[in-house]
Amino acid sequence: MTLLIEKAEHALTAKRDQLTMRWYPDYHLAARAGWMNDPNGLVWFDGWYHAFYQHHPYSTEWGPMHWGHARSRDLLHWEHLPVALAPEGPEDKDGCFSGSAVVNGEELALIYTGHKFHGDNTCDENLYQVQCLATSRDGVHFTREGQVLDTPVGLHHFRDPKVWRENGMWYMVVGARVEDTGMVRLYRSEDLHHWHDEGILAEAPQGMGFMWECPDFFTLQGKQVLMFSPQGIAAQGYANRNLFQSGYIVGHWQPGEAFVQETIFHELDHGHDFYAPQSFLTPDGRRIVIGWMDMWESPLPEQQDGWAGMLSLPRELTVTEDNRVQMRPAREVEALRQDFSRWSVSTLHNKALCVMEHCETAEVVLHWDLAGSDAEQYGIALQDGMRLYIDSQSQRLVLERNYPQLGLCGQRSVPLPRTTELNLRLFFDRSSVEVFVNDGEACLSSRIYPQQHQLMLFAWSGTAIIKECGSWNLK
């Protein structure tokens, strides 16, 4: 263990007992203490799922990035491991930024961005971002191999490598910025150490962002999906309401050829808090994605409690015939279910009804009869702070949070599906809610900060009919 990693471990041990746990998640992954953002290096290796993440162990504010590390047998119960990387070399002296992990024979290899300034750190002209390698035989202790790819001439923002193996070769996509245009660049290697420039895989058209962060490129049901987080897209109507987005483009690609895009950019999650998703393959071949369930420049009230940031549930990806990527909770999540409580509610008319006195960690199922309901608004509320409701006038499903004392108010929404029923799964975990619509048609994820935990069903200005409703306690 290096001196800087040992120092980080001492800091985390000291801080862990000082946390206030009122909003700390029960079944989502969060740091032991301090700051967390992007998931990194999601991978299956030697019988374990590994999740690394951007981490500042000394503060609840973003700072010099380390790589936090946890592992799990089932994607649900996480064991925290020692910090994997600390900014301690000339190539990453100002931060070990985001990256990915691959299994290379008997080794686990981390490929990440070394973040450094040559001079004044307030000037982008002095910024250099290079791609680095670290390896491990046991999946716990890592040997730094140093820089493997330098900053291209003329670039400064060049980060977040995602690596995969195809046709006997390693490939890597890296997010980049040229002036005010975001792009994803492609590289090829035989050994993870020496990389050949394959050019630009995709580039932002006008208005599609000045930087494309955290790219991921994978094959899903015979199609290629470019997933990334663009910065600098203006909000338009209901779309792109967050400061920064995460989404995807579907197309076709094979080595040596151009990526032919078949869709425009689509948002992956429509809630307040979802960024920098990264995908990986399970041993049985499912494509799973996990994202950071927070948003840049949004208040993080848990900072006053000694920690900041958490990751989303693992979600399985599929792609439809019309090239829509869908997300649904990974089936492992069902193992958390304990007893099921069926709510004896079928009709609501101009009233609110308490269905749970204390909802902190639960999976809720709601099957609304859209065709038979005429209420202007009907849905579910967690006290006064969070509401998920059908707005019959706008024909949208709305996720609303209202915490004015914390600076967190606003709505996110998706169009109602063209169906007679609306089936919803909601996952509550102390300071978060994740909503899955009609088995993958849409998803909305947001951080919430309840002071009380009474869960209500409601319908106003008319009648709402519910065909099934209830909840599982989760443990």
Side-chain angles (χ1 to χ4, degrees), residues 225-242:
V225 178
L226 176 60
M227 188 169 67
F228 59 101
S229 296
Q231 297 180 323
I233 299 180
Q236 193 170 31
Y238 292 110
N240 307 318
R241 299 307 310 179
N242 291 331

Side-chain angles (χ1 to χ4, degrees), residues 58-92:
Y58 303 106
S59 170
T60 58
E61 303 284 344
W62 185 92
M65 285 293 98
H66 297 55
W67 272 38
H69 186 195
R71 68 182 180 183
S72 171
R73 296 286 193 187
D74 60 4
L75 291 172
L76 301 171
H77 302 87
W78 292 97
E79 172 194 357
H80 285 284
L81 296 174
V83 168
L85 297 172
E88 53 191 339
E91 68 279 358
D92 60 14

Side-chain angles (χ1 to χ4, degrees), residues 297-312:
E297 300 186 33
S298 176
L300 298 176
E302 71 268 24
Q303 287 175 312
Q304 62 190 287
D305 293 346
W307 65 283
M310 59 187 284
L311 301 187
S312 74

Side-chain angles (χ1 to χ4, degrees), residues 258-272:
F259 175 47
V260 179
Q261 301 177 28
E262 295 188 349
T263 72
I264 61 173
F265 175 80
H266 293 287
E267 290 181 84
L268 197 57
D269 187 294
H270 298 268
H272 295 86

